[in-house]
Amino acid sequence: MISEGEKSISDHNKDGGICLELVLVGSYVERVLQTSSRRHWNFLSSKQENEKPLSENMDAFEKVRAKLETQPQEEYEIINAEIKHGGFVYYQEGCCLVRSKDEEADNDNYEVLFNLEELKLEQPFIDCIRVAPDEKYVAAKIRTEDSEASTCIVVKLSDQPVMEASFPNVSSFEWVKDEEDEDVLFYTFQRNLRCHDVYRATFGDNKRNERFYTEKDPSFFVFLYLTKDSRFLTMNIMSKTTSEVWLIDGLSPWDPPVLIQKRIHGVLYYVEHRDDELYILTNVGEPTEFKLMRTAADTPAIMNWDLFFTMKRNTKVVDLDMFKDHCVLFLKHSNLLYVNVIGLADDSVRSLKLPPWACGFIIDTNSDPKNCPFQLCSPIRPPKYYTYKFAEGKLFEETGHEDPITKTSRVLRMEAKSKDGKLVPMTVFHKTDSEDLQKKPLLVQVYGAYGMDLKMNFRPERRVLVDDGWILAYCHVRGGGELGLQWHADGRLTKKLNGLADLEACIKTLHDQGFSQPSLTALTAFSAGGVLVGALCNSSPELLRAVTLEAPFLDVLNTMMDTTLPLTLEELEEWGNPSSDEKHKNYIKRYCPCQNIKPQHYPSIHITAYENDERVPLKGIVNYTEKLKEAIAEHTKDSGEGYQVPNIILDIQPGGNHVIEDSHKKITAQIKFLYEELGLDSTSVFDNLKKYLKF
């Protein structure tokens, strides 16, 4: 067994891409080999052809909004799924699935495989691509921005490519080849946000489609992952706290699958394969944090697992990637990023401390056996490429233009002491030349649920705020996953109030240390982050001036008592079971935002909700908003003349997606709301925003 080393590599110089991710997505835990997602931002404004003149008397916001709402989504942020297979790159070009030779991928010389418009969907995009081993077929998952529903198409690759089949509501899917060189597609079927069924299908002359597995426990879901060497297809059956993995032979997919280890409550594990050995990332044993174990592929049961590598305390395992002679771990330790490169031949370990500005990894697929590429990003800095070269044992950094934000802004790693003495990490951004920070506006962001890290990906609107003098603070409270599995455990079920105490401590610490003041402080969150924000508005509204929420979870008690909702049973391990456990019911009542509204002063609140959101039902958000307005009206009656009544805005958007991250309308409406509520001049911020948008 080896433990984590301390050696740091500081040599830099080139570029990169990546691999495989352990992700907590909303209320689902997924580990998927993702297709590369390339995101492009525009830093220079340009005039749109045939642009209609705007009225001179429109204010700055109205002018920008008028432009934004006429822009197609692609001109703000382009997201292309792509995958390399053989000598080709498969990707989306316009409304088509295309492929081109690898060396011509950046040219316009490509072959159209399928036109997405044939599906008659509103603004479809390709979410994921998988190519059959011998390139006879390609499968692609198609989605739209306003829905979580998806369609998987299978295209036969020939002189005249043709769609062979399509399957609705597919979540994960992978190809394998059987003993007779026939391509077999395994896929999971999603119904009402639940993935319980696995199917396998063949095409051509021997066409078939059959159900392979059904999970009976409604608190578990299923996803598929193909090991990096394609030797095994893993069928992962998971709840929030427990997992079970079956191996499907990548060479004999019609044989019965092999169980690695039957599910044990509280034990999570994920599997990779190399040279007839299984590498297992698991929390089994003490401490109950992730550690790396291994065993022979033909003796996979837990009693044969040998401890191979342990992590430091307060470490989050973000990702693992397997190579011929190396295993690479992507880690977050004490709120800083590291890459550990383990030599599998000699058990050596190199620990690379990454630049302090970096807050997150971007993980893409990677098939290069000699290099491990990845990207680093932060909320105010676009992604930058890095590559670790195994032969040289060095990390190389992308060269070229250096983003000016590195010199014009500061990133601080701070801690707040919660009321039980626990130290809560924060990441803070502000302009380097800011004077008298106490008079600057502060935007605080929080999540604190499902063991998910707070999103720290690049957001152009966050960059704009920092450029305009704002302070940004990301509070990594308990319930999230930034410090490992225990950090999550300490903020779920009957410990959910720890996250609320952490958030309050973070905001008070920021104010005490001279970062803004309550009258200039705003708080923002999405989805389950709305629980802590709504709870803080009830318990300590004096800390805030304004709040923005997107698709917020606000009615915890009634939602968790309604088992007809698609995610209630899966979420019992996070929130508790108020229907059958009185202790859980009474505890939820203590913090549930909807249950604790009272006549008092509240900050102004802007809520964006989605009409057909299946994850956070609109009914609960509307109920919360109505109760809040009634309480404010009652409080206003008893307040003197001149009382400033808070604005409560519920903006209901059409569509059935959960969160539309890049909506121009949402972004501009939220910024306008914040500037108005804090009494700030918005002229420069919207001029600055144009630098990141293509006009």
Side-chain angles (χ1 to χ4, degrees), residues 107-132:
N107 300 326
D108 291 332
N109 187 16
Y110 53 78
E111 175 189 7
V112 174
L113 305 177
F114 180 75
N115 188 335
L116 273 56
E117 292 179 342
E118 292 183 28
L119 299 176
K120 294 181 169 43
L121 299 173
E122 187 73 24
Q123 293 184 322
F125 67 91
I126 297 175
D127 185 55
C128 187
I129 302 170
R130 294 289 183 268
V131 184

Side-chain angles (χ1 to χ4, degrees), residues 220 237-239 241-245 261-264 266-270:
F220 283 73
I237 305 162
M238 294 191 63
S239 73
T241 62
T242 304
S243 61
E244 176 179 289
V245 182
Q261 174 57 47
K262 185 177 180 179
R263 64 192 75 172
I264 302 171
V267 174
L268 292 164
Y269 69 100
Y270 308 88

Side-chain angles (χ1 to χ4, degrees), residues 503-515:
L503 177 58
E504 183 176 342
C506 287
I507 296 175
K508 286 182 176 179
T509 297
L510 289 165
H511 291 163
D512 290 345
Q513 295 194 17
F515 293 94

Side-chain angles (χ1 to χ4, degrees), residues 491-502:
R492 68 182 182 93
L493 295 175
T494 55
K495 295 182 179 180
K496 184 59 69 176
L497 283 167
N498 284 341
L500 177 59
D502 292 352

Side-chain angles (χ1 to χ4, degrees), residues 634-641 643:
E634 187 176 343
H635 175 68
T636 302
K637 291 177 186 177
D638 301 327
S639 303
E641 263 188 63
Y643 174 67

